Each structure stands twice: as C-alpha cells, then as structure tokens.
C-alpha cells in the first residue's frame, strides 16, 4: 500500500547530504561576512536641534530641480531605509534625477524626552526643519515627502503651514486609521494607552518591534528564517539579509507623551479623518490643504492597508491629486527591485511637471 508521500531512502540521504554541505558553507560565509553598513549616498548636516538632525545628501550629479525635497520619515524606525544600500536607495535615484534631497533624522529618544509631544515634533522640529532647508537653499517653499507616520505628520504640517510648501508627497501614509482591514488599528483601539505610558514612560523599541512582528507571525518569525537556509552560501544575499535585520531591530524608543496622543487621536479617535484634531494650539483641517498631492501606497501593505491611504482622496481641497498604487508591501516599497524601477521615477516625473 502506497502512502501520500513517496520517500526514496537514497534520495533522502542525498538531500540531507546536500543540506549538510550547504550549512557548512553557510557557517563559513557567516564568519567571513563583514559588519554590515548602510547608506549609499554621502550627506552633510545642515541643522541640529536636541536629537533631531537634518541632512542634505550630496552627489556628483547636478541639481536641476529648483525646489528642494525634504523627507520626513516615521518615528518608529530609522530613516536610512530610504538610502539603505547602493542598489536599494530611493535617495540615490532622486539625486541622479537632479533633485536636491534632505532628510530629517528624529534620533533616539531617551528618558529626557519622556514629555516630548506631537506639538514639539510637528510645530517644533518639523517646522524648523522646513525652515532650515528653505534657508539653506534660499527658496521660500520646498517639497515635502512624508513617509508612513511621517506622512501623517506632513499632512498636519501642510494644513497649518501651507505657505511654506510647493508640493506634498505622502508615501504609505495612514489617513483613515480605522479601516476594517487594519489589524494594527484593531489592536491599538483597545489599548489603555494612559496606563501604558504612565507605567512605561517612553515606549521601548523592542516592545514596538514585537507587536509589528506578531502581525504576521508565520512570515516574520518563522518562514523568513527557514528561508535563510536557501541563501546561507551566498555572501551577497547574506549581507543583504543581515542589513535588513539590522534595520528592523535598530528602532528608537518612542517618546511617551507623543505616543499617547498619537494612539488616542489618530488610532482611537481617527481625528485626522473625522476632524477635531489639534496639534498644540493648532487645529488640523485636511480641507485647508490646497497643494498638489502625490499619494503613494502599497497594495500588500499589512501595516498601512491601501484603503487607509486612499482615504486621502477627497479629504483635502486640492484640485491636483495623484495616486500611485505600488504592487508590493510596506517594506518592499523602499527596497525591492520593482520599487527602484517605479517609485523614484514616478516622484521625479510628478515633481518635474510641477516645479
């Protein structure tokens, strides 16, 4: 009687032998792989305040766009994802296209930042970073590219200070924080965030990372590492893998008060979408935004589902709204080969038409 799985002893033995050889080669590769680094583009500091630093990327390519582009990344991960390595860099592609690119590094909050608020981040650091780029380039208005949580910050900023911006680009940015397919939102809306922050102070990065990993536990905690055996004997692939692992676990703690308001007002209150949001003394009204907007989202994004981003359409008063749907996930939109071919050229062409 034959079972559903046919195993030939000789084939099993040969497969085990090949696997053993691969593991042995992999151990040698792991010993020889140097410490991984990140960053494909040179950069210089142009502004510093507390732990926040604004960098200008430098390039041998001539700047042909008169309006500089400032990137505002999320607080929850490090911003070097946009310039991870030579063949995975949105920044590098934009520099090659002639853009003058700047980046905000929010830094690593420590216990002294426990009471830093969203007012500090948006009306303070972000506003003064925009001002620093304007001063450095001698222009009155700049282009702002907000990514993920940084995109939500950028929308708030654009509603308060539209006179300082030429164009606004949002990328994997949540606008409607309560779409039915948003698992992170379902978890967060049930959180007692006052007890959470009053107990912990700043929110530990390791705790945040664990929450993100458990959104897709099989893929991110098992399958990824089982698949590692396929590339163990490939030094280049191993270096790429280790660089991504370094980025994933190189996360900053979250300033307690800023985290409290972000959870209450954005996730639990959905006030960016519904209205009633205040950042410091400033009312946030998306209808106050009349700037040209390019909204880029990822179709397989498990952290910011596409409908959470698509909600921006019709939420502002702009007459110049463009959407770009990317076939990939929340991380692939920065580092995949498809992203390198599609995202920077789309940004470049969209900006080129608008100055």
């Amino acid at each position: 009687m034959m079972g559903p799985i046919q195993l030939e002893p000789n084939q099993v033995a040969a497969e085990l032998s090949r696997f053993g050889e691969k593991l042995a080669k992999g151990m040698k590769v792991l010993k020889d792989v140097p410490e991984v680094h990140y960053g494909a583009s040179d950069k210089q500091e142009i502004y510093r305040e507390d732990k926040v630093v604004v960098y200008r990327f430098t390039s041998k390519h001539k700047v042909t766009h008169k309006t500089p582009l400032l990137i505002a990344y999320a607080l929850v991960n490090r911003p070097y994802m946009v310039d991870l390595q030579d063949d995975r860099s949105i920044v590098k592609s934009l520099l090659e296209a002639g853009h003058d690119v700047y980046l905000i590094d929010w830094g690593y909050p420590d216990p002294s930042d426990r009471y830093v608020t969203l007012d500090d981040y948006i009306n303070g650091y972000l506003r003064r970073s925009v001002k620093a780029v304007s001063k450095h380039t001698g222009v009155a208005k700049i282009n702002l590219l907000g990514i993920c949580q940084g995109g939500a910050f950028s929308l708030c900023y654009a509603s308060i200070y539209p006179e300082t911006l030429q164009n606004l680009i949002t990328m994997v940015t949540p606008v409607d924080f309560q779409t039915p397919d948003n698992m992170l939102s379902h978890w967060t809306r049930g959180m007692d965030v006052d007890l959470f922050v009053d107990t912990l102070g700043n929110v530990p990065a390791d705790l945040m990372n664990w929450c993100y990993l458990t959104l897709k536990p099989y893929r991110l905690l098992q399958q990824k590492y089982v698949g590692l055996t396929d590339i163990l004997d490939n030094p280049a692939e191993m270096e790429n893998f280790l660089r991504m692992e370094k980025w994933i676990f190189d996360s900053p703690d979250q300033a307690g008060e800023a985290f409290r308001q972000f959870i209450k007002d954005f996730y639990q209150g959905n006030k960016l979408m519904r209205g009633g949001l205040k950042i410091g003394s400033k009312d946030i009204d998306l209808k106050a935004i009349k700037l040209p907007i390019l909204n880029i989202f990822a179709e397989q994004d498990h952290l910011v589902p596409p409908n959470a981003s698509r909600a921006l359409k019709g939420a502002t008063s702009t007459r110049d709204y463009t959407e770009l749907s990317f076939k990939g996930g929340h991380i692939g939109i920065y580092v995949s080969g498809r992203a390198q071919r599609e995202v920077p050229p789309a940004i470049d062409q969209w900006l080129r038409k608008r100055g």
Side-chain angles (χ1 to χ4, degrees):
M1 182 175 179
M2 301 295 289
I5 301 176
Q6 305 298 317
L7 297 176
E8 294 292 338
N10 290 339
Q11 292 179 357
V12 172
E15 181 66 26
L16 288 174
S17 177
R18 285 194 294 272
F19 185 67
E21 292 174 4
K22 199 176 187 71
L23 285 179
K25 290 180 180 176
M27 293 305 103
K28 184 176 186 310
V29 169
L30 281 174
K31 284 176 59 180
D32 294 340
V33 168
E35 182 177 352
V36 293
H37 299 285
Y38 54 83
S41 311
D42 294 331
K43 59 183 184 295
Q44 63 181 106
E45 177 182 325
I46 68 151
Y47 179 73
R48 178 180 290 269
E49 179 183 0
D50 301 332
K51 296 179 178 64
V52 175
V53 182
V54 177
Y55 292 101
R56 179 191 184 226
F57 289 98
T58 57
S59 168
K60 63 181 180 182
H61 300 280
K62 184 179 179 181
V63 174
T64 56
H65 289 261
K66 63 181 181 182
T67 308
L69 176 65
L70 174 63
I71 300 174
Y73 202 79
L75 301 177
V76 296
N77 286 113
R78 298 292 292 146
Y80 58 78
M81 174 56 84
V82 296
D83 188 46
L84 192 64
Q85 63 188 60
D86 193 58
D87 59 345
R88 300 181 182 192
S89 171
I90 291 174
V91 168
K92 181 185 173 189
S93 297
L94 291 172
L95 291 172
E96 291 173 351
H99 291 274
D100 193 7
V101 185
Y102 296 75
L103 173 76
I104 302 173
D105 183 342
W106 302 109
Y108 295 86
D110 63 24
S112 69
D113 300 302
R114 161 72 173 77
Y115 294 99
V116 171
T117 64
L118 292 186
D119 183 26
D120 295 316
Y121 276 114
I122 296 171
N123 291 312
Y125 298 134
L126 179 53
R127 180 177 64 83
R128 289 189 285 273
S129 295
V130 170
K131 189 175 182 180
V133 173
S134 292
K135 182 179 179 181
H136 190 262
T137 54
V139 299
K141 296 183 177 182
I142 71 167
N143 296 323
L144 182 60
L145 166 56
I147 298 177
C148 192
Q149 184 187 33
F153 285 10
S154 298
L155 286 168
C156 294
Y157 176 86
S159 78
I160 305 171
Y161 308 102
E163 70 281 1
T164 65
L165 299 181
Q166 185 77 28
N167 300 289
L168 176 64
I169 302 169
T170 54
M171 191 166 168
V172 289
T173 292
V175 178
D176 183 348
F177 282 74
Q178 295 186 359
T179 53
D181 55 349
N182 191 333
M183 184 180 293
L184 184 61
S185 172
H186 286 294
W187 288 1
T188 305
R189 283 147 65 187
M191 172 190 294
D192 184 343
V193 68
D194 287 330
L195 177 63
F196 200 74
V197 173
D198 291 344
T199 303
L200 295 174
N202 285 349
V203 179
D206 288 344
L207 180 58
M208 296 288 291
N209 264 332
W210 180 250
C211 291
Y212 293 134
L213 293 174
T214 51
L215 285 170
K216 297 180 76 171
Y218 173 69
R219 171 71 185 90
L220 299 177
L221 294 172
Q222 298 180 37
Q223 187 184 30
K224 180 174 67 171
Y225 298 107
V226 171
L228 183 61
T229 57
D230 292 332
I231 61 169
L232 267 177
D233 55 348
N234 185 324
E237 288 296 321
M238 278 302 301
E239 193 171 331
N240 290 342
F241 179 89
L242 293 173
R243 186 175 289 107
M244 281 299 302
E245 289 293 285
K246 181 175 182 177
W247 176 79
I248 289 171
F249 295 102
D250 181 18
S251 299
D253 294 343
Q254 299 297 294
E257 289 309 312
F259 181 85
R260 187 199 306 267
Q261 186 186 0
F262 194 71
I263 297 300
K264 279 188 172 183
D265 287 352
F266 288 77
Y267 277 100
Q268 297 178 343
N270 204 14
K271 293 182 179 178
L272 185 61
M273 189 70 191
R274 293 176 178 166
L277 178 62
K278 289 179 75 78
I279 300 296
S281 61
K282 307 289 187 181
D283 293 317
I284 305 301
D285 180 5
L286 293 182
K287 288 295 183 185
I289 301 176
K290 300 177 181 177
L291 302 165
I293 296 174
L294 171 61
N295 185 23
I296 307 170
F297 53 86
E299 295 179 6
Q300 284 82 48
D301 194 332
H302 70 291
L303 292 173
V304 182
N307 285 339
S309 295
R310 286 195 183 102
L312 185 58
K313 184 178 183 180
T316 70
S317 296
T318 183
R319 295 181 179 179
D320 185 355
Y321 175 85
T322 307
E323 283 186 356
L324 174 64
S325 176
F326 174 76
K327 292 181 179 178
H330 195 80
I331 304 302
I333 200 169
Y334 314 116
V335 298
S336 70
R338 180 191 292 273
Q340 307 311 308
R341 294 191 301 273
E342 296 181 3
V343 176
I347 293 173
D348 172 53
Q349 292 165 20
W350 187 82
L351 286 175
R352 193 177 292 277
K353 293 177 181 176
R354 291 161 179 81

